């Protein structure tokens, strides 16, 4: 439901679904890269046991934190994007879009 008690259009629901998918996939990728960068040296080099343990634990702690931070930051920014998921009340067209392709204003 929207803030005014109305229902969301299919385009709005699709935009939200795509944004959630993007947030999850980009967060998973970022977390995997971070974990690989922090804990990867333990697999490539002979390091003292203490250093290996510390790197693995730091990677295991930092990756989920980055994952959550990325998901939250992407989803919080979603409503701020102009014309995404918002429609003009009169016509139902996405807000901020010209009525005809190639036209930038009604005076054109």
């Amino acid at each position: 439901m929207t803030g005014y008690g109305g229902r969301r259009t299919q385009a709005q629901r699709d935009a939200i679904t795509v944004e959630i998918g993007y947030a999850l996939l980009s967060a998973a990728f970022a977390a995997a890269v971070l974990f690989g960068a922090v804990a990867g040296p333990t697999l490539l080099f002979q390091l003292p046991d203490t250093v290996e343990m510390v790197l693995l634990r730091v990677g295991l702690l930092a990756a989920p934190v980055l994952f959550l931070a990325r998901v939250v930051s992407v989803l919080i920014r979603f409503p701020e994007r102009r014309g995404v998921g918002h429609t003009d009340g009169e016509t139902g067209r996405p807000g901020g879009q010209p009525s005809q392709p190639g036209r930038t204003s009604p005076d054109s």
Side-chain angles (χ1 to χ4, degrees), residues 50-66:
T50 307
V51 173
E52 284 186 6
M53 184 181 63
V54 168
L55 288 176
L56 283 173
R57 287 189 180 174
V58 168
L60 287 172
L61 290 174
V65 170
L66 176 65

Side-chain angles (χ1 to χ4, degrees), residues 1-9 12-13 85 87:
M1 308 252 321
T2 64
Y4 299 107
R7 296 189 59 93
R8 290 189 172 117
T9 65
Q12 289 170 326
R13 290 193 304 268
T87 59

Side-chain angles (χ1 to χ4, degrees), residues 29-98:
F29 178 75
V33 169
L34 176 71
F35 180 78
V38 172
T42 63
L43 299 172
L44 298 174
F45 306 111
Q46 284 286 341
L47 300 172
D49 291 341
T50 307
V51 173
E52 284 186 6
M53 184 181 63
V54 168
L55 288 176
L56 283 173
R57 287 189 180 174
V58 168
L60 287 172
L61 290 174
V65 170
L66 176 65
F67 180 86
L68 289 174
R70 176 69 180 159
V71 169
V72 168
S73 70
V74 168
L75 294 180
I76 284 176
R77 284 185 295 152
F78 176 65
E80 294 177 5
R81 296 184 186 158
R82 303 281 182 218
V84 176
H86 303 285
T87 59
D88 179 7
E90 295 177 15
T91 63
R93 287 191 297 267
Q97 295 292 319

